[in-house]
Amino acid sequence: MMNRRRFLAAASAAAAVAAPPRPVNVILIYCDDLGWGDLSCYGSPIATPHIDRLAREGARFTHCLSANPVCSPSRAALLTGRYPTRVGVPRVLFPVDKTGLAEGEQTIAQLLKAKGYQTMCVGKWHLGHLPPHLPTYKGFDHYYGIPYSNDMNPRWLMADEKVLEEQTDLDTLQEKYTKRAVEFIAGAKDKPFFLYMPHTYPHIPFGVGQAFRGKSKQGIYGDVLSELDWSVGQILAALEKHKLDRDTLVLFSSDNGPWYQGSPGMLRGRKGMTWEGGVRVPLLARLPGAVKPGLVCDGLVSTMDLLPTICALTGAALPARPLDGRDIRPLLAGRQREIDREPLLYFDGWYLQCARWGKWKLHLARYNNVTYSPAPAGGRKNIRLARPELYDVVTDRDESFDVAAENPQVVATILAAVEKLLAGFPVEVQKAYAEGKERPASTRPAGAVTQ
C-alpha cells in the first residue's frame, strides 16, 4: 500500500511530467546587406564575438538562402514564409509607393499575437510606410524605427505611427534601436514575447557611434559591424538579466548579400544578383534544449523556413495560405542533416532566374548587365539562357564550372519541378517565364552576363 509520502511524491512527479513547457520567446535579428562572409564565425577578419556566441551555443547554417537578393521582397518572404512574388512585394519599395504586403497575408507577428504573445518591431521595416502597411497593422503591438532604407528620404524615426524625427541621426541609430529593444525585453519579461529587430546596417550610408568609430581594422564597415555585434551582446545580456536566456529562441540572419562593401565569403555575386553571393546569407539559431550547441548544418534551408519553425516551437497556428517554408526543427536538433524539399526558387522581380535543389543550382535566365552598373543601350532586360547552366555549389563555391552537359538528368529533374511549381504562382510570374521562353536566348558563353 502506498503511504502518504510516496503518494505525494508520485503526484508531484506526475504533475511535473504533465506540466506544460514554459512558453518560448522569440527574438529575430535581421541585418541589412550583411554578407555571408562578414562574421568571424563565417571566416571574416572582423571580430564579432557576441554573434559568434550564438553559433557556439547554437546552430550555424552554411547554406541558408534568402528568398530574394534585395530588401523589401526578402523581408516580405521572411515574415510570411512565402515567396515575395506571392505576397505582393516583388521589388524594393520606395517612399513614393503606397503599397505593401498583400491583404490577407499573415506575418509571424500576427500568428504569435493570436497565441497571446507581446510583439514589437525595432528597426527598418521597408514593407510600406503608410497605413495599413505599417508594423502596427501587421501584428506588432509597437514599432520603433525607420520605415524604409537609410538612403531614402525623408528618413523618419517613428514610434508606432508617430514620426519622432524627420531626419534621424544615422550615427546614433544602432544605439537607439538597442536601447528600445532592451526596454521591450524588460517590460515583456513576464509573458511570452516576439521581438523582431531588423537592423538598418550595414546598408549604406554608414553611421556609427563614437565609441566604435575607428576601432576596427576594417574601416567604417568594420566599425559598423562591431557596433552591431555589441548590440547583439546587449540583447543576450538582457535575456540573462531577466533569466530568459534558456526560454528564448534567438535567430540571426540577413536580408541578402553585401552591397559595395562587405564580403560574400568567396561566393560569386553581391546584392541584387542571383549568384550565391547575392542570396546566400548567414543563419544562426540558439535555444537551449531544442537547438544542438555547436552544430554546423550544411543542409539547404531558407529564411522562409523560420515562420513554420517558430510556429512549431511556440504552438502557434500556421497561416491559412500554403507555405513555401519548411519546419526545420530536425535540423536544429541535429537529428537530420537535410530535409526533403522542392527546389528553392531565385526570383528577381517577377523573373525566375535560378533554382536550387540540394547541392545543385540551375541558372535559367540572367540580366544583360551587372546590377547597379549603367544600363546597356535599349535598357536592362532579363534574358533566357540558350541552355540552362548547372553548378555544384558545394564543391564549386563561386559557380565557376558549368556541369550541365555531364548531368542531363539533374537538369531535366529540376526543370520539371520548376515548371510544376510555377503553375501555382501569380499570373505575372507565369507570364514572365513564358515570355522568356519565346525571346531570343542569350548565346554568350556559360557564366557570362547576357546581352
Side-chain angles (χ1 to χ4, degrees):
M1 181 179 293
M2 183 179 292
N3 61 31
R4 184 173 182 273
R5 180 178 295 177
R6 288 182 178 176
F7 174 80
L8 292 174
S12 176
V17 171
R22 294 184 65 179
V24 174
N25 305 307
V26 180
I27 296 178
L28 173 50
I29 302 170
Y30 200 57
C31 298
D32 194 354
D33 294 359
L34 180 77
W36 187 76
D38 275 338
L39 305 175
S40 48
C41 58
Y42 281 86
S44 173
I46 301 172
T48 52
H50 298 294
I51 298 171
D52 294 352
R53 178 185 166 191
L54 294 174
R56 188 173 64 253
E57 298 178 357
R60 177 170 69 89
F61 289 82
T62 62
H63 286 266
C64 176
L65 304 183
S66 175
N68 200 272
V70 291
C71 302
S72 300
S74 63
R75 291 157 197 273
L78 172 82
L79 290 176
T80 63
R82 288 160 52 82
Y83 284 107
T85 45
R86 294 194 198 274
V87 301
V89 191
R91 61 168 177 83
V92 172
L93 297 177
F94 293 88
V96 296
D97 289 311
K98 295 179 172 57
T99 59
L101 282 177
E103 185 178 351
E105 296 294 338
Q106 293 177 281
T107 68
I108 297 172
Q110 287 168 316
L111 298 168
L112 291 180
K113 189 177 176 70
K115 183 72 176 173
Y117 276 62
Q118 304 164 90
T119 58
M120 181 156 194
C121 174
V122 176
K124 170 186 168 178
W125 177 240
H126 214 173
L127 288 172
H129 68 291
L130 300 172
H133 302 298
L134 284 166
T136 47
Y137 291 80
K138 300 298 180 182
F140 291 99
D141 297 323
H142 297 291
Y143 173 56
Y144 181 88
I146 61 175
Y148 25 68
S149 293
N150 54 330
D151 61 342
M152 298 178 181
N153 284 299
R155 196 166 59 231
W156 293 341
L157 177 66
M158 301 182 70
D160 295 337
E161 298 169 42
K162 179 182 178 182
V163 176
L164 299 178
E165 300 173 11
E166 290 285 345
Q167 288 291 113
T168 191
D169 182 355
L170 294 182
D171 287 339
T172 63
L173 204 52
Q174 292 202 80
E175 182 180 358
K176 289 174 181 175
Y177 286 173
T178 305
K179 182 174 183 286
R180 187 65 190 90
V182 168
E183 289 173 350
F184 171 73
I185 292 170
K189 65 182 183 298
D190 296 324
K191 291 177 61 181
F193 64 82
F194 171 46
L195 170 62
Y196 172 47
M197 197 171 182
H199 274 277
T200 291
Y201 296 123
H203 193 291
I204 58 175
F206 301 129
V208 66
Q210 278 301 123
F212 298 91
R213 187 172 293 275
K215 296 301 174 64
S216 78
K217 296 180 181 179
Q218 286 78 30
I220 191 169
Y221 193 92
D223 297 345
V224 168
L225 288 197
S226 294
E227 187 169 20
L228 195 151
D229 182 70
W230 163 83
S231 175
V232 172
Q234 294 297 297
I235 299 299
L236 297 179
L239 293 178
E240 290 177 344
K241 177 181 177 180
H242 300 294
K243 297 180 172 54
L244 298 170
D245 51 321
R246 298 198 62 80
D247 303 310
T248 303
L249 171 66
V250 181
L251 297 159
F252 182 96
S253 192
S254 177
D255 60 352
N256 45 249
W259 201 350
Y260 295 108
Q261 294 195 57
S263 172
M266 297 182 68
L267 302 174
R268 185 173 181 177
R270 305 180 79 83
K271 174 182 178 177
M273 305 177 192
T274 49
W275 299 102
E276 286 295 281
V279 179
R280 200 187 306 182
V281 293
L283 175 61
L284 306 172
R286 187 193 76 167
L287 176 60
V291 179
K292 184 178 179 180
L295 175 69
V296 178
C297 182
D298 298 324
L300 180 62
V301 299
S302 165
T303 54
M304 294 185 293
D305 297 337
L306 298 187
L307 182 148
T309 305
I310 288 170
C311 286
L313 287 167
T314 60
L318 290 172
R321 295 180 179 179
L323 295 176
D324 296 302
R326 300 289 181 266
D327 178 0
I328 60 170
R329 284 178 300 164
L331 301 184
L332 292 171
R335 296 194 303 270
Q336 295 176 204
R337 296 182 62 183
E338 58 185 7
I339 55 173
D340 290 332
R341 67 185 316 147
E342 297 160 327
L344 284 170
L345 308 179
Y346 295 56
F347 285 101
D348 191 308
W350 297 114
Y351 301 117
L352 174 69
Q353 294 191 331
C354 308
R356 175 83 186 269
W357 184 49
K359 69 177 184 177
W360 299 110
K361 182 175 179 184
L362 192 69
H363 288 247
L364 299 170
R366 199 169 294 144
Y367 285 118
N368 59 340
N369 76 324
V370 175
T371 307
Y372 302 115
S373 66
R380 192 181 201 217
K381 297 177 182 177
N382 179 74
I383 300 178
R384 183 89 172 196
L385 299 178
R387 61 176 182 79
E389 297 171 15
L390 183 70
Y391 299 92
D392 175 350
V393 293
V394 172
T395 60
D396 178 17
R397 181 182 288 187
D398 58 357
E399 295 164 270
S400 293
F401 308 104
D402 175 21
V403 293
E406 294 84 356
N407 298 277
Q409 189 55 52
V410 174
V411 173
T413 299
I414 298 176
L415 273 176
V418 164
E419 301 210 347
K420 182 178 179 182
L421 284 170
L422 290 186
F425 274 78
V427 63
E428 294 90 344
V429 172
Q430 297 185 47
K431 182 179 178 182
Y433 188 74
E435 287 177 350
K437 280 185 168 182
E438 296 168 2
R439 288 178 187 158
S442 165
T443 56
R444 300 288 289 172
V449 173
T450 59
Q451 63 179 35

